[in-house]
PDB file of all heavy atoms in Angstrom:
ATOM      1  N   MET A 539       5.960  13.691   9.762  1.00 95.00           N
ATOM      2  CA  MET A 539       7.353  14.148   9.690  1.00 95.00           C
ATOM      3  C   MET A 539       8.303  13.069  10.193  1.00 95.00           C
ATOM      4  O   MET A 539       9.368  12.844   9.610  1.00 95.00           O
ATOM      5  CB  MET A 539       7.528  15.429  10.505  1.00 95.00           C
ATOM      6  CG  MET A 539       6.895  16.664   9.873  1.00 95.00           C
ATOM      7  SD  MET A 539       7.028  18.137  10.928  1.00 95.00           S
ATOM      8  CE  MET A 539       8.819  18.286  11.050  1.00 95.00           C
ATOM      9  N   SER A 540       7.922  12.383  11.260  1.00 95.00           N
ATOM     10  CA  SER A 540       8.787  11.330  11.802  1.00 95.00           C
ATOM     11  C   SER A 540       8.932  10.177  10.810  1.00 95.00           C
ATOM     12  O   SER A 540       9.999   9.582  10.679  1.00 95.00           O
ATOM     13  CB  SER A 540       8.234  10.814  13.136  1.00 95.00           C
ATOM     14  OG  SER A 540       7.047  10.051  12.949  1.00 95.00           O
ATOM     15  N   VAL A 541       7.862   9.880  10.083  1.00 94.00           N
ATOM     16  CA  VAL A 541       7.912   8.822   9.069  1.00 94.00           C
ATOM     17  C   VAL A 541       8.851   9.220   7.929  1.00 94.00           C
ATOM     18  O   VAL A 541       9.660   8.411   7.463  1.00 94.00           O
ATOM     19  CB  VAL A 541       6.498   8.522   8.524  1.00 94.00           C
ATOM     20  CG1 VAL A 541       6.576   7.600   7.306  1.00 94.00           C
ATOM     21  CG2 VAL A 541       5.643   7.876   9.602  1.00 94.00           C
ATOM     22  N   LEU A 542       8.747  10.466   7.481  1.00 91.00           N
ATOM     23  CA  LEU A 542       9.605  10.951   6.396  1.00 91.00           C
ATOM     24  C   LEU A 542      11.079  10.924   6.811  1.00 91.00           C
ATOM     25  O   LEU A 542      11.947  10.530   6.019  1.00 91.00           O
ATOM     26  CB  LEU A 542       9.192  12.365   5.992  1.00 91.00           C
ATOM     27  CG  LEU A 542       7.809  12.501   5.352  1.00 91.00           C
ATOM     28  CD1 LEU A 542       7.480  13.971   5.122  1.00 91.00           C
ATOM     29  CD2 LEU A 542       7.728  11.719   4.050  1.00 91.00           C
ATOM     30  N   VAL A 543      11.350  11.340   8.048  1.00 92.00           N
ATOM     31  CA  VAL A 543      12.728  11.311   8.550  1.00 92.00           C
ATOM     32  C   VAL A 543      13.238   9.879   8.621  1.00 92.00           C
ATOM     33  O   VAL A 543      14.369   9.582   8.209  1.00 92.00           O
ATOM     34  CB  VAL A 543      12.819  11.984   9.931  1.00 92.00           C
ATOM     35  CG1 VAL A 543      14.198  11.741  10.559  1.00 92.00           C
ATOM     36  CG2 VAL A 543      12.548  13.477   9.819  1.00 92.00           C
ATOM     37  N   LEU A 544      12.391   8.974   9.126  1.00 92.00           N
ATOM     38  CA  LEU A 544      12.804   7.575   9.247  1.00 92.00           C
ATOM     39  C   LEU A 544      13.083   6.970   7.873  1.00 92.00           C
ATOM     40  O   LEU A 544      14.044   6.202   7.714  1.00 92.00           O
ATOM     41  CB  LEU A 544      11.718   6.767   9.959  1.00 92.00           C
ATOM     42  CG  LEU A 544      12.032   5.277  10.159  1.00 92.00           C
ATOM     43  CD1 LEU A 544      13.278   5.108  11.022  1.00 92.00           C
ATOM     44  CD2 LEU A 544      10.845   4.558  10.789  1.00 92.00           C
ATOM     45  N   GLN A 545      12.257   7.314   6.876  1.00 87.00           N
ATOM     46  CA  GLN A 545      12.509   6.820   5.520  1.00 87.00           C
ATOM     47  C   GLN A 545      13.893   7.221   5.036  1.00 87.00           C
ATOM     48  O   GLN A 545      14.597   6.413   4.415  1.00 87.00           O
ATOM     49  CB  GLN A 545      11.449   7.363   4.561  1.00 87.00           C
ATOM     50  CG  GLN A 545      10.102   6.645   4.638  1.00 87.00           C
ATOM     51  CD  GLN A 545       9.113   7.197   3.641  1.00 87.00           C
ATOM     52  OE1 GLN A 545       8.904   8.400   3.540  1.00 87.00           O
ATOM     53  NE2 GLN A 545       8.484   6.314   2.895  1.00 87.00           N
ATOM     54  N   GLU A 546      14.281   8.460   5.320  1.00 85.00           N
ATOM     55  CA  GLU A 546      15.610   8.920   4.909  1.00 85.00           C
ATOM     56  C   GLU A 546      16.710   8.204   5.691  1.00 85.00           C
ATOM     57  O   GLU A 546      17.729   7.803   5.128  1.00 85.00           O
ATOM     58  CB  GLU A 546      15.726  10.432   5.103  1.00 85.00           C
ATOM     59  CG  GLU A 546      14.844  11.253   4.176  1.00 85.00           C
ATOM     60  CD  GLU A 546      15.163  10.995   2.720  1.00 85.00           C
ATOM     61  OE1 GLU A 546      16.360  10.960   2.366  1.00 85.00           O
ATOM     62  OE2 GLU A 546      14.215  10.818   1.921  1.00 85.00           O
ATOM     63  N   VAL A 547      16.504   8.038   6.990  1.00 86.00           N
ATOM     64  CA  VAL A 547      17.506   7.362   7.826  1.00 86.00           C
ATOM     65  C   VAL A 547      17.729   5.934   7.349  1.00 86.00           C
ATOM     66  O   VAL A 547      18.864   5.435   7.299  1.00 86.00           O
ATOM     67  CB  VAL A 547      17.063   7.366   9.304  1.00 86.00           C
ATOM     68  CG1 VAL A 547      17.972   6.458  10.136  1.00 86.00           C
ATOM     69  CG2 VAL A 547      17.089   8.781   9.863  1.00 86.00           C
ATOM     70  N   LEU A 548      16.647   5.256   6.968  1.00 83.00           N
ATOM     71  CA  LEU A 548      16.750   3.862   6.536  1.00 83.00           C
ATOM     72  C   LEU A 548      17.457   3.707   5.194  1.00 83.00           C
ATOM     73  O   LEU A 548      17.795   2.588   4.804  1.00 83.00           O
ATOM     74  CB  LEU A 548      15.359   3.237   6.457  1.00 83.00           C
ATOM     75  CG  LEU A 548      14.656   3.014   7.802  1.00 83.00           C
ATOM     76  CD1 LEU A 548      13.230   2.546   7.595  1.00 83.00           C
ATOM     77  CD2 LEU A 548      15.432   1.999   8.645  1.00 83.00           C
ATOM     78  N   LEU A 549      17.683   4.815   4.511  1.00 75.00           N
ATOM     79  CA  LEU A 549      18.415   4.772   3.241  1.00 75.00           C
ATOM     80  C   LEU A 549      19.908   4.995   3.425  1.00 75.00           C
ATOM     81  O   LEU A 549      20.686   4.806   2.489  1.00 75.00           O
ATOM     82  CB  LEU A 549      17.862   5.837   2.276  1.00 75.00           C
ATOM     83  CG  LEU A 549      16.428   5.630   1.784  1.00 75.00           C
ATOM     84  CD1 LEU A 549      15.991   6.826   0.949  1.00 75.00           C
ATOM     85  CD2 LEU A 549      16.311   4.354   0.959  1.00 75.00           C
ATOM     86  N   TRP A 550      20.327   5.391   4.637  1.00 74.00           N
ATOM     87  CA  TRP A 550      21.729   5.708   4.878  1.00 74.00           C
ATOM     88  C   TRP A 550      22.590   4.451   4.901  1.00 74.00           C
ATOM     89  O   TRP A 550      22.276   3.465   5.587  1.00 74.00           O
ATOM     90  CB  TRP A 550      21.909   6.418   6.226  1.00 74.00           C
ATOM     91  CG  TRP A 550      21.330   7.806   6.253  1.00 74.00           C
ATOM     92  CD1 TRP A 550      20.853   8.529   5.197  1.00 74.00           C
ATOM     93  CD2 TRP A 550      21.159   8.633   7.411  1.00 74.00           C
ATOM     94  NE1 TRP A 550      20.400   9.740   5.608  1.00 74.00           N
ATOM     95  CE2 TRP A 550      20.564   9.847   6.966  1.00 74.00           C
ATOM     96  CE3 TRP A 550      21.443   8.474   8.767  1.00 74.00           C
ATOM     97  CZ2 TRP A 550      20.257  10.879   7.841  1.00 74.00           C
ATOM     98  CZ3 TRP A 550      21.139   9.504   9.637  1.00 74.00           C
ATOM     99  CH2 TRP A 550      20.561  10.689   9.177  1.00 74.00           C
ATOM    100  N   ASN A 551      23.695   4.503   4.196  1.00 64.00           N
ATOM    101  CA  ASN A 551      24.770   3.505   4.303  1.00 64.00           C
ATOM    102  C   ASN A 551      24.310   2.062   4.131  1.00 64.00           C
ATOM    103  O   ASN A 551      24.879   1.149   4.723  1.00 64.00           O
ATOM    104  CB  ASN A 551      25.479   3.637   5.660  1.00 64.00           C
ATOM    105  CG  ASN A 551      26.081   5.010   5.847  1.00 64.00           C
ATOM    106  OD1 ASN A 551      26.630   5.592   4.916  1.00 64.00           O
ATOM    107  ND2 ASN A 551      25.961   5.540   7.053  1.00 64.00           N
ATOM    108  N   PHE A 552      23.255   1.865   3.344  1.00 66.00           N
ATOM    109  CA  PHE A 552      22.804   0.506   3.085  1.00 66.00           C
ATOM    110  C   PHE A 552      22.979   0.177   1.612  1.00 66.00           C
ATOM    111  O   PHE A 552      22.502   0.896   0.744  1.00 66.00           O
ATOM    112  CB  PHE A 552      21.326   0.326   3.454  1.00 66.00           C
ATOM    113  CG  PHE A 552      21.066   0.201   4.922  1.00 66.00           C
ATOM    114  CD1 PHE A 552      20.195   1.067   5.563  1.00 66.00           C
ATOM    115  CD2 PHE A 552      21.675  -0.797   5.670  1.00 66.00           C
ATOM    116  CE1 PHE A 552      19.941   0.951   6.920  1.00 66.00           C
ATOM    117  CE2 PHE A 552      21.428  -0.919   7.032  1.00 66.00           C
ATOM    118  CZ  PHE A 552      20.558  -0.048   7.660  1.00 66.00           C
ATOM    119  N   GLU A 553      23.681  -0.906   1.340  1.00 66.00           N
ATOM    120  CA  GLU A 553      23.770  -1.384  -0.033  1.00 66.00           C
ATOM    121  C   GLU A 553      22.465  -2.102  -0.378  1.00 66.00           C
ATOM    122  O   GLU A 553      21.889  -2.787   0.457  1.00 66.00           O
ATOM    123  CB  GLU A 553      24.944  -2.361  -0.176  1.00 66.00           C
ATOM    124  CG  GLU A 553      26.309  -1.718  -0.012  1.00 66.00           C
ATOM    125  CD  GLU A 553      26.618  -0.717  -1.118  1.00 66.00           C
ATOM    126  OE1 GLU A 553      26.127  -0.925  -2.245  1.00 66.00           O
ATOM    127  OE2 GLU A 553      27.323   0.268  -0.840  1.00 66.00           O
ATOM    128  N   PRO A 554      21.977  -1.933  -1.621  1.00 70.00           N
ATOM    129  CA  PRO A 554      20.745  -2.621  -2.011  1.00 70.00           C
ATOM    130  C   PRO A 554      20.872  -4.133  -1.819  1.00 70.00           C
ATOM    131  O   PRO A 554      21.885  -4.736  -2.169  1.00 70.00           O
ATOM    132  CB  PRO A 554      20.603  -2.264  -3.496  1.00 70.00           C
ATOM    133  CG  PRO A 554      21.363  -0.995  -3.659  1.00 70.00           C
ATOM    134  CD  PRO A 554      22.526  -1.098  -2.706  1.00 70.00           C
TER     135      PRO A 554
END
Side-chain angles (χ1 to χ4, degrees):
M539 288 176 61
S540 71
V541 170
L542 294 175
V543 170
L544 180 61
Q545 282 182 310
E546 292 300 315
V547 170
L548 291 173
L549 294 175
W550 291 350
N551 301 321
F552 283 123
E553 292 295 329

